Amino acid sequence: MIHLNKSVFLLIIAVTAFCSCSQSEDFTAQESGKELGSDNCNIVFRLQSNYSAITRSAEDSYSHVQGTASEYKVNNARVYLYNNQSKLFAKSFLLANLTHVGSDANGNITYESDKFSVAPGVYDIFVTANTDRVINKTNEDDFLADIDSVTYIQGQIVDISNGIVMSNRASANVQVTITKKDGEEPNVVNITLERVLARLDIAKSAEQFEMTDKNGAKYATVTLDGFYIVNQPKYYYSYRHTAVLTSLDEPQWNINTNFGNVADVNGYVVDPYFFKKAIDASAFTNADKYYENAFVDLNGPNAAKWTSFNAVSSTPNYKTSYCLENCMYAPAQKNGYSTGVVFKAIIEPNNNVYHLNSSNTLELITDKTKYPEVLYYFEYKFYDSADALKVAVAASSSPTSALQAKKFEKTDDGYRCYYNYWIRHLDNNNPTIMGVMEFGVIRNNLYRMLITNVSDLGGEDMNAFTPDTPDEGEAYMNVVLNVKPWIVRDLTNIVL
């Protein structure tokens, strides 16, 4: 059960860039095949980052956190012009050496560059920012289908000090008419950028969580001491893809219907691997290495790179990282595909470990130094052997609850258990039906996770989770995530 203190906030950090003319071009003008003449038009691009248009979302709150300068800054941008009729490449500009000229009271940050010159015409205009990568495609369809498999190949991104790669919504700047104006007056094209990454914030409200039985009596303490993120994609579409889908059939991509907002009914964001995510996730092997820290390969040599994290009363409050979008057709929203977080924890019994003595009766172990290497858990008590567990199960008033028995092995730190959480993008508020876009990670969104309580002991083996398990299911750790661009919910009143 999740109880939220609901409130809504909107974080809009605007970065406005007046980008006039430059002498830098990546391609030649392929339409005319000749040098541009004196009848060219002046053109100015105004770039606004931190795109915050409302998309289909779960509930919001008024609480928010400020983004960092690295998250919204624009170091450079590259503009691509395609002829609106022929869909052939026309011209490209590199907007470099942007000069910061000031900020306003609303947080808008303005940069300027020199003017650009372009032949009169009707263009489809696309922009990327904070990347040196050039998309060298002759026709617009190939350009929009471009997959970047280089920029964020490490999967999980921690350092974004050089700025986050951004692009505009491809459908937002189509059929733009550029004409010759009186004097030196330029054509002004407003471009809104969005980050290609999502931001993940993870924290806990306390260093330890007390486990209590049905009567409120404490039976153990759980300490969350690390996490790592699984199923982190390494490839992404340079420009955001969307589609209305009722089956796992790839649509015919159309710039006006597949490169803008997400439809309210059966609307999906589509990543490069979307149509390979079959319903049977257990057959998935990550053979093409699409995922970093793939959930199907937790035993690999690079798995379990644990990140420590502090309680929110400590500094830093949240551990922040970034990753690429990862989406699935609703029936394929399963552990083998979805981006999630695995938490590790230490269990400390509350003086309730029992031993089977020579009289075949259970007796309390009062000396903690005699606790065994393996503990067996059943109905709020722990046992030092399988035989002791059998006696406890036989004496139980509900023998069928033996299915809830667990085994925990001792490590150098103590008895280990594990929890997993699958990032939920849009809650349909129905725990029995998988919703469209219910689980997933979408670019330009901030997902903030705050663990405020733990309701049960976790699994004894982090590899026990199966790839074909649906993301919608029983969880001992519930987290509500925002689904708006860089906006955070108030999670302080979640009860698990």
Side-chain angles (χ1 to χ4, degrees), residues 7 122 142 161 187 208 227 231 318 396:
S7 37
V122 181
D142 291 342
S161 58
N187 294 263
Q208 295 182 329
F227 69 88
N231 292 345
Y318 284 84
S396 173

Side-chain angles (χ1 to χ4, degrees), residues 180-484:
K180 184 75 174 179
K181 295 182 179 293
D182 294 337
E184 296 296 320
E185 182 182 358
N187 294 263
V188 177
V189 179
N190 294 304
I191 303 288
T192 303
L193 298 172
E194 61 181 356
R195 308 166 184 87
V196 302
L197 296 177
R199 172 174 158 176
L200 307 180
D201 286 355
I202 302 174
K204 56 187 177 182
S205 62
E207 293 295 344
Q208 295 182 329
F209 299 100
E210 290 188 355
M211 301 292 98
T212 57
D213 61 21
K214 296 178 180 179
N215 297 318
K218 176 181 173 181
Y219 69 89
T221 299
V222 169
T223 302
L224 297 173
D225 62 345
F227 69 88
Y228 79 109
I229 304 168
V230 298
N231 292 345
Q232 301 160 88
K234 298 192 283 188
Y235 314 144
Y236 65 98
Y237 282 123
S238 297
Y239 292 87
R240 185 175 184 262
H241 285 49
T242 63
V244 173
L245 300 172
T246 56
S247 66
L248 202 60
D249 295 326
E250 187 167 0
Q252 296 294 317
W253 300 105
N254 178 283
I255 191 169
N256 295 310
T257 57
N258 298 118
F259 293 92
N261 293 329
V262 185
D264 289 333
V265 180
N266 293 322
Y268 287 89
V269 172
V270 177
D271 65 55
Y273 207 69
F274 187 97
F275 296 100
K276 291 186 177 181
K277 298 169 188 174
I279 306 305
D280 182 10
S282 62
F284 177 65
T285 63
N286 197 41
D288 54 4
K289 304 301 180 184
Y290 177 77
Y291 287 134
E292 186 76 12
N293 282 350
F295 190 66
V296 297
D297 190 28
L298 294 183
N299 287 315
N302 296 319
K305 295 180 179 178
W306 300 103
T307 300
S308 61
F309 63 131
N310 299 321
V312 292
S313 59
S314 304
T315 302
N317 291 343
Y318 284 84
K319 290 286 188 177
T320 294
S321 60
Y322 305 86
C323 67
L324 296 168
E325 61 191 359
N326 184 23
C327 310
M328 285 66 61
Y329 184 50
Q333 291 176 150
K334 298 186 176 183
N335 296 178
Y337 301 129
S338 296
T339 300
V341 184
V342 176
F343 296 88
K344 66 173 182 173
I346 292 295
I347 301 169
E348 183 178 348
N350 187 40
N351 300 317
N352 55 350
V353 180
Y354 290 84
H355 169 71
L356 189 64
N357 61 24
S358 57
S359 300
N360 204 39
T361 58
L362 296 171
E363 62 181 11
L364 182 67
I365 301 176
T366 57
D367 185 355
K368 291 185 178 181
T369 63
K370 295 183 179 180
Y371 282 0
E373 293 299 307
V374 176
L375 279 181
Y376 297 85
Y377 167 78
F378 176 67
E379 290 187 341
Y380 312 116
K381 295 181 176 65
F382 298 89
Y383 303 91
D384 69 348
S385 68
D387 289 338
L389 174 66
K390 289 178 182 178
V391 171
V393 170
S396 173
S397 59
S398 303
T400 56
S401 63
L403 296 174
Q404 304 300 318
K406 298 179 180 179
K407 180 178 72 173
F408 301 105
E409 295 186 1
K410 193 174 185 180
T411 68
D412 292 340
D413 301 312
Y415 297 101
R416 279 272 173 220
C417 73
Y418 301 89
Y419 301 86
N420 60 347
Y421 177 79
W422 305 99
I423 296 175
R424 189 189 298 268
H425 177 74
L426 176 62
D427 195 346
N428 68 348
N429 296 312
N430 189 329
T432 62
I433 298 177
M434 187 69 74
V436 171
M437 291 295 297
E438 186 164 6
F439 292 88
V441 173
I442 313 301
R443 68 177 67 190
N444 209 56
N445 284 280
L446 191 155
Y447 299 87
R448 170 166 268 195
M449 305 171 60
L450 176 62
I451 297 93
T452 62
N453 202 356
V454 177
S455 61
D456 203 346
L457 301 182
E460 61 264 36
D461 181 4
M462 68 177 179
N463 298 297
F465 307 113
T466 58
D468 216 36
T469 301
D471 297 332
E472 184 99 78
E474 182 180 10
Y476 301 142
M477 176 180 295
N478 296 327
V479 182
V480 178
L481 303 169
N482 92 297
V483 295
K484 288 187 177 181

Side-chain angles (χ1 to χ4, degrees), residues 2-5 61 63 201 205 318 447-452 479-482 488-495:
I2 298 174
H3 302 284
L4 291 177
N5 183 12
S61 68
S63 175
D201 286 355
S205 62
Y318 284 84
Y447 299 87
R448 170 166 268 195
M449 305 171 60
L450 176 62
I451 297 93
T452 62
V479 182
V480 178
L481 303 169
N482 92 297
V488 187
R489 284 206 188 110
D490 181 357
L491 305 181
T492 56
N493 292 324
I494 297 178
V495 177

